[in-house]
Amino acid sequence: MLQTILPEDEFIQDREGESYLENLFLEIKKEFRGRPDELIPLLQRVQASLGYLPEKALLEIARFTRLPAAKVFGTATFYTQFHLQPVGKNIIRICRGTACHVKGGARILKEVERLLGIRCGQSTPDLKFNLETVACIGACALAPTMMINHHTYGQLTSKKVEEILFKL
Ligand code: FES
């Protein structure tokens, strides 16, 4: 996988640069055959390297797999795991399922929005956090819940949320 020593903001601009994408796809073409059924793994691979899926990368995937660009863009926008814009380093997902709603999930969302100064669907300007909601994260007994990256936090209170975010 490509490594970088660039500061985060320069890295984000550079990730869309021709040479970075060229090098990335040289690596990818060694790992994949370009079959249409590799579309999802290819999107995952590119996102793992770039942090999101810029338009140029989606067009390159379309060329590589010989799929219509509309199919590649359609797939990338259909699945919530894919991001077409740069996202924060820490992806926060607040559960808005029924159990969490009953236990104050909306309050937790408001508290996170207040602490980070962003609304749901946005990233902080320094790209440290990205805030989203999800239907249910499968830990209803711990409601209200949220996930940060791959870690689940339950029985949340405003105070607990503040402590969790402060440590990141
Ligand atoms: S409803 Fe929130 S974890 Fe299931």
Side-chain angles (χ1 to χ4, degrees):
M1 195 169 289
L2 291 178
Q3 296 293 322
T4 181
I5 54 168
L6 291 171
E8 186 71 10
D9 55 344
E10 287 179 38
F11 177 52
I12 287 153
Q13 288 169 9
D14 190 69
R15 278 185 295 189
E16 292 192 56
E18 294 298 329
S19 60
Y20 191 93
L21 281 181
E22 245 172 57
N23 287 334
L24 174 61
F25 274 91
L26 282 176
E27 284 189 19
I28 283 175
K29 285 172 185 174
K30 289 181 203 160
E31 299 166 24
F32 294 86
R33 301 185 64 184
R35 293 194 317 259
D37 65 355
E38 291 177 318
L39 177 56
I40 302 269
L42 274 164
L43 291 168
Q44 289 168 332
R45 172 67 174 87
V46 171
Q47 184 163 281
S49 286
L50 303 178
Y52 72 112
L53 297 167
E55 186 179 329
K56 285 178 196 165
L58 292 175
L59 291 172
E60 191 55 40
I61 290 174
R63 270 193 288 275
F64 183 42
T65 55
R66 297 194 178 145
L67 285 167
K71 165 82 179 162
V72 175
F73 278 79
T75 305
T77 50
F78 179 77
Y79 292 101
T80 53
Q81 66 174 296
F82 296 123
H83 300 280
L84 272 62
Q85 300 294 327
V87 292
K89 195 166 121 197
N90 296 295
I91 299 180
I92 302 174
R93 295 184 172 97
I94 310 285
C95 181
R96 59 179 163 77
T98 307
C100 288
H101 178 73
V102 169
K103 297 265 187 162
R107 187 172 26 84
I108 297 301
L109 174 61
K110 274 206 173 76
E111 184 61 10
V112 176
E113 286 180 332
R114 185 187 70 77
L115 289 166
L116 299 181
I118 56 173
R119 306 295 302 272
C120 181
Q122 296 180 333
S123 302
T124 52
D126 62 0
L127 290 183
K128 189 171 177 191
F129 297 101
N130 196 68
L131 181 58
E132 303 172 355
T133 58
V134 287
C136 173
I137 60 178
C140 311
L142 299 176
T145 64
M146 70 175 174
M147 280 185 86
I148 300 181
N149 302 322
H150 299 292
H151 192 90
T152 301
Y153 297 88
Q155 297 177 326
L156 294 171
T157 59
S158 298
K159 189 169 182 288
K160 204 166 164 184
V161 163
E162 189 168 357
E163 286 168 4
I164 293 165
L165 294 182
F166 185 73
K167 285 184 191 151
L168 292 173

